[in-house]
Amino acid sequence: MFLSIGLFFVLLSGLRAQDFKSLHLVARFDTIEEKVLGTVYHQVAVNEEVDQLVLNAIRMEIKSLQLNGEDWDFVQNDTALFIPIKEGASGELQLRIEYEAKPNKGIYFIGWQDETRRARRQIWTQGQGIDHRHWIPHHDDQTDKILFSAEWIFNSDYQIMSNGLLDSMVTKEGENHWYYSMNKPMSSYLIAMALGNYVASAQMVKGRPHILYHYPDRIADSAWYYYRHQHIASFLEEEINYEYPWRNYKQAPVMDFRHGAMENTCATIFGDFFLVDSIAFNDRNYTYVDAHEFAHQWFGNLVTAEGSEHHWLHEGFATYYQWLSEEELYGSNHYDWELFKARELIEGAAARDSLPLAHPKAGVERFYQKGGWLLHMLRNYVGDSVYRMTIDDYLHRYAHQVVQNEDLIALFEKHSDKDIRSFFDLWLYGKKEPSLRIRHSPIKEALVTDLSEAMPQELKFAFLVNGTWRFQNHQIPKGRSMILIPDSCTAYYLANVDDLLLNLQDESMTQEHYRIAFEANNQLSARCRYMREWPQWEEDLDFIKSVAEDKQNFHWLRAEAIKAYVRISKDRNQERALLESLLRSTKDVQLQKAIMTLVLKEKMDLDAQILADLRQYGGSYELRSSALQASIDPDNLATMKWLNDTHWAEQPGIVGHELYLQTLFYRFAFFRDQEALVKMLDFAGPFFDFNTRMNALSYLSYLPIDADLYWQRLFEAFQNKNWKLSKMGREKLLDLQSKEATQFKKAYRKAKRDWDDFQKRKAERTFEKE
């Protein structure tokens, strides 16, 4: 039911005049019906203008409601509760609501319908942005800070993680009662609970306990998925230079999480696809997420943005400090690499639309990557000491408060003598990144620049004069300008352009200058850009090869050199010889992965023994997968008996059982191995995590099968609450509905018998459109 226009304005006016101070939740869980059985206690401050309290509550059954200890009347619709207040009442009110909720968002029941008990059994929450209103009646607005506490009640065979300090845990009649409490206010979207079969370990970071939750069957890999957590946390607390603002910190993995992780106040929940082993660590590890979510404890949780147009104040800061932590762990080259990858994502967003960073629909590439880039440039612009002073002021001034973009800008204007307004007008409010074109004018022996935006950019140029590099800083204004090249200059390059988020068109480099500039410029991202854009000069192939073979070079630069060599070379045998030599000689897993990606793209044949070694012993699962794919030879099936090796099934750290599913797919595709088909259909079922199910369904969709179980798996995926899995199920079913209408109708009718009303409505909206 939707609110009328008049009721909508009543709702808004009521929320402005009511201030929810605290929320205490008592919650049990019915895992059969997937219901929350709760009682919530609110302390609310109201002024005399308020004639009703308004709470968000999606389709809840209210068992009883009391105001200041008295039973109280209320009005309810599908989205809210309206509680009348006596005229002239003001001060603090005590509100108690006993209720039941069967939510489709906000809290998720995992594995309880699996009678075989193969699936993990969990309950976990995800409130951002306004999803907790589906299972807790409350004022669901991130600008309203509350003091939260909870009593969670469940079977004593399980563990529960939640916000705050675990004050006590009491067993009553076979159930545990976990009592958690916060001593400082937070936004309600950050309420968190993870229930499952866990064991916990504790680390101390600057006197605060950090409690890390593990699956009992994955403890052996914990050193990899919580890799150097103490180091990350200690570094960030020193770098941010503000004491960690909460009493403890906790992290727990959950199955089928809808995102990567969520920075709930002192209680991060993350997807268990980050539970890597030593091999998978080289493909995707948790360190960057660990740092990102920990940084949110300051940026987002301590200081909270008012709305979506200010969202980068959460994600941009967390991304920037994540990059700094990666630099701390892996070095400055890794930091440059992250900036470069972020730049590519930002360029992709710019190709899609021209929204500024300060826009509610700016998108993740801007909120995260461009927000991080803004802070990287801002720190360089104002200087390290001014930056750190301003951030310290920002966190102290607005602790446990709500902010807007202009609050941060005002503090930088206070502490810096630079043109802060122009900086933010360009990078925060500007609709696109500036374009810079540089050309060489041989007539005037000058570099001609053309800048698209109003704010001047300070660029550093390097000129090689009589064998010595001379550096000159120039303020480049909007429009066309000219920089004279010194007499006797034999080469030049732009020294710092990769520290700015500019769309660069450098047309100034001649062939005689290009290699000299590449060797002289020690900025990794610039050297990689040179190599990526290297012109088709075959006489430079030996030099490019030397860059690729130099083990002192970062893997990213070596990979760009390899791609440049293959792009420029006209001799496939020489290309293959280089790639095989590097695969044999290097121990750099990231370089090996880049080479194998190129091999597949270029459809190159490699030595069979190299591929066999990489398939079985490669230091990355992605590397093994690429080698497996490169080894497939449909014209010589007798050589592919290795597809039946048992070790493919014994790799716990790989996300989604990717390698095993690859081998199963080829076993069925080439040999009609029925055991492989049965196993793939099993992997597509509800016993497994969403990544495994998506991988299995993807492979199955390429096979000529029409089994009833395949249709069942697709409809199970469609009804799953993980949006990625549900989207895949929907897309594949819609495709089959148009191509195989008769079989679809039969399978649809059969599946519909077991669905509840919500699931039926979802299916009808999707498959029964007129």
Side-chain angles (χ1 to χ4, degrees), residues 439-448 482-483 485 492 508:
R439 295 181 293 110
H440 175 238
S441 173
I443 298 175
K444 296 188 177 181
E445 281 303 312
L447 296 177
V448 180
M482 190 174 295
I483 299 169
I485 297 174
Y492 48 79
S508 69

Side-chain angles (χ1 to χ4, degrees), residues 180-455:
Y180 278 93
S181 68
M182 294 288 298
N183 67 341
K184 294 179 181 178
M186 69 180 203
S187 299
S188 66
Y189 78 93
L190 296 166
I191 290 173
M193 187 278 298
L195 180 157
N197 186 9
Y198 293 114
V199 292
S201 63
Q203 301 175 352
M204 297 300 293
V205 179
K206 295 187 177 295
R208 302 290 175 93
H210 285 223
I211 305 163
L212 309 177
Y213 286 76
H214 314 263
Y215 293 162
D217 57 310
R218 294 301 304 275
I219 291 177
D221 298 325
S222 62
W224 292 105
Y225 55 80
Y226 285 130
Y227 181 73
R228 301 185 75 179
H229 169 75
Q230 280 179 300
H231 189 156
I232 293 168
S234 295
F235 166 76
L236 284 177
E237 193 165 345
E238 291 175 7
E239 174 63 33
I240 294 170
N241 197 31
Y242 184 105
E243 184 179 24
Y244 177 69
W246 317 103
R247 288 185 289 179
N248 62 18
Y249 185 63
K250 299 172 289 294
Q251 298 189 85
V254 298
M255 180 173 162
D256 285 352
F257 197 57
R258 297 163 60 84
H259 308 284
M262 181 63 203
E263 68 277 8
N264 309 295
T265 309
C266 68
T268 290
I269 293 174
F270 66 95
D272 60 11
F273 39 80
F274 283 112
L275 301 189
V276 297
D277 59 15
S278 60
I279 300 170
F281 185 87
N282 290 315
D283 294 322
R284 181 187 193 184
N285 63 70
Y286 186 61
T287 54
Y288 74 97
V289 183
D290 194 345
H292 186 98
E293 308 310 331
F294 192 60
H296 269 310
Q297 301 303 317
W298 289 268
F299 303 101
N301 298 6
L302 177 67
V303 179
T304 304
E306 184 177 273
S308 297
E309 63 267 41
H310 316 287
H311 189 52
W312 81 276
L313 294 172
H314 294 191
E315 301 303 346
F317 271 100
T319 300
Y320 175 61
Y321 284 101
Q322 160 201 321
W323 291 342
L324 292 179
S325 74
E326 291 182 274
E327 181 180 33
E328 171 71 10
L329 290 181
Y330 308 121
S332 59
N333 283 337
H334 190 94
Y335 180 81
D336 286 349
W337 189 31
E338 291 298 325
L339 283 175
F340 192 89
K341 290 188 293 183
R343 181 197 293 271
E344 291 184 322
L345 292 173
I346 296 164
E347 289 172 352
R352 185 179 62 243
D353 58 59
S354 59
L355 296 176
L357 174 55
H359 189 282
K361 296 182 180 180
V364 295
E365 298 93 344
R366 293 192 179 95
F367 289 142
Y368 288 71
Q369 278 76 29
K370 187 173 180 180
W373 253 101
L374 183 153
L375 294 171
H376 166 77
M377 294 186 293
L378 179 61
R379 193 168 189 165
N380 290 336
Y381 182 59
V382 301
D384 186 70
S385 60
V386 169
Y387 175 85
R388 291 175 69 87
M389 182 191 310
T390 307
I391 296 305
D392 179 78
D393 192 357
Y394 174 72
L395 293 173
H396 278 90
R397 183 182 300 258
Y398 295 112
H400 306 291
Q401 296 183 49
V402 176
V403 294
Q404 299 181 349
N405 293 322
E406 291 299 320
D407 296 318
L408 179 69
I409 294 171
L411 291 181
F412 272 101
E413 288 180 321
K414 169 187 171 184
H415 292 291
S416 174
D417 58 0
K418 295 291 186 72
D419 185 359
I420 297 298
R421 177 56 56 183
S422 293
F423 179 93
F424 280 96
D425 282 347
L426 175 59
W427 300 113
L428 179 62
Y429 297 116
K431 290 187 176 181
K432 58 183 178 180
E433 290 68 57
S435 295
L436 174 65
R437 184 186 181 200
I438 303 177
R439 295 181 293 110
H440 175 238
S441 173
I443 298 175
K444 296 188 177 181
E445 281 303 312
L447 296 177
V448 180
T449 65
D450 196 343
L451 183 66
S452 66
E453 298 299 328
M455 181 185 177

Side-chain angles (χ1 to χ4, degrees), residues 681-708:
L681 287 166
D682 189 51
F683 274 134
F687 327 109
F688 292 95
D689 63 279
F690 80 94
N691 280 298
T692 298
R693 295 171 71 179
M694 289 177 67
N695 283 341
L697 288 172
S698 180
Y699 282 117
L700 286 165
S701 67
Y702 290 105
L703 297 175
I705 56 173
D706 186 29
D708 288 346

Side-chain angles (χ1 to χ4, degrees), residues 563-580:
K563 287 187 281 188
Y565 186 90
V566 170
R567 175 170 50 82
I568 298 171
S569 169
K570 293 182 173 59
D571 189 329
R572 182 51 60 97
N573 289 329
Q574 288 186 357
E575 297 166 25
R576 173 180 169 176
L578 174 62
L579 300 188
E580 289 183 342

Side-chain angles (χ1 to χ4, degrees), residues 494-750:
L494 191 52
N496 73 327
V497 70
D498 289 274
D499 279 334
L500 294 168
L501 199 56
L502 299 173
N503 294 317
L504 177 65
Q505 293 176 276
D506 189 350
E507 303 167 4
S508 69
M509 289 295 205
T510 61
Q511 183 170 1
E512 58 268 30
H513 289 178
Y514 208 90
R515 179 170 163 182
I516 297 172
F518 171 86
E519 292 183 299
N521 196 333
N522 60 7
Q523 190 175 31
L524 174 67
S525 54
R527 301 186 85 199
C528 289
R529 178 170 50 79
Y530 280 131
M531 195 58 68
R532 179 173 289 189
E533 299 170 358
W534 206 284
Q536 297 287 128
W537 297 327
E538 290 187 55
E539 54 267 40
D540 288 338
L541 278 174
D542 286 343
F543 173 72
I544 293 171
K545 181 180 178 183
S546 71
V547 174
E549 293 176 330
D550 188 346
K551 295 181 180 179
Q552 300 303 310
N553 287 330
F554 190 61
H555 65 79
W556 174 29
L557 176 56
R558 298 180 72 185
E560 290 296 341
I562 293 167
K563 287 187 281 188
Y565 186 90
V566 170
R567 175 170 50 82
I568 298 171
S569 169
K570 293 182 173 59
D571 189 329
R572 182 51 60 97
N573 289 329
Q574 288 186 357
E575 297 166 25
R576 173 180 169 176
L578 174 62
L579 300 188
E580 289 183 342
S581 172
L582 289 172
L583 286 171
R584 288 191 183 100
S585 63
T586 185
K587 295 182 180 179
D588 190 323
V589 175
Q590 301 304 326
L591 181 62
Q592 290 177 321
K593 287 167 62 176
I595 293 171
M596 287 307 303
T597 298
L598 185 61
V599 165
L600 293 174
K601 178 183 177 183
E602 298 292 329
K603 299 180 180 179
M604 288 186 180
D605 294 325
L606 290 186
D607 178 77
Q609 189 58 52
I610 291 177
L611 292 177
D613 290 342
L614 291 177
R615 283 198 312 265
Q616 185 157 2
Y617 305 113
S620 140
Y621 288 123
E622 289 181 4
L623 177 60
R624 295 182 184 189
S625 177
S626 295
L628 188 158
Q629 190 173 343
S631 302
I632 297 299
D633 184 1
D635 298 324
N636 195 3
L637 298 181
T639 65
M640 292 168 45
K641 295 180 180 179
W642 49 265
L643 286 170
N644 294 296
D645 291 347
T646 58
H647 79 273
W648 299 116
E650 300 166 357
Q651 300 168 357
I654 184 171
V655 174
H657 294 82
E658 171 65 29
L659 277 172
Y660 192 22
L661 279 162
Q662 270 186 288
T663 62
L664 294 172
F665 169 78
Y666 287 120
R667 280 166 54 184
F668 183 80
F670 294 144
F671 307 111
R672 289 299 184 265
D673 185 333
Q674 294 302 309
E675 181 184 352
L677 177 60
V678 170
K679 190 62 180 176
M680 278 192 285
L681 287 166
D682 189 51
F683 274 134
F687 327 109
F688 292 95
D689 63 279
F690 80 94
N691 280 298
T692 298
R693 295 171 71 179
M694 289 177 67
N695 283 341
L697 288 172
S698 180
Y699 282 117
L700 286 165
S701 67
Y702 290 105
L703 297 175
I705 56 173
D706 186 29
D708 288 346
L709 186 55
Y710 176 53
W711 288 99
Q712 178 183 329
R713 294 299 188 233
L714 287 173
F715 281 113
E716 289 169 345
F718 167 70
Q719 293 291 5
N720 193 272
K721 292 180 181 178
N722 181 284
W723 69 270
K724 294 179 181 178
L725 178 58
S726 179
K727 179 183 177 184
M728 171 180 269
R730 181 179 72 251
E731 290 174 348
K732 292 191 178 300
L733 284 167
L734 285 171
D735 184 54
L736 289 171
Q737 185 181 25
S738 63
K739 294 179 179 178
E740 303 178 26
T742 302
Q743 296 95 319
F744 175 86
K745 289 178 181 178
K746 178 182 175 183
Y748 180 54
R749 287 195 298 268
K750 183 177 179 181

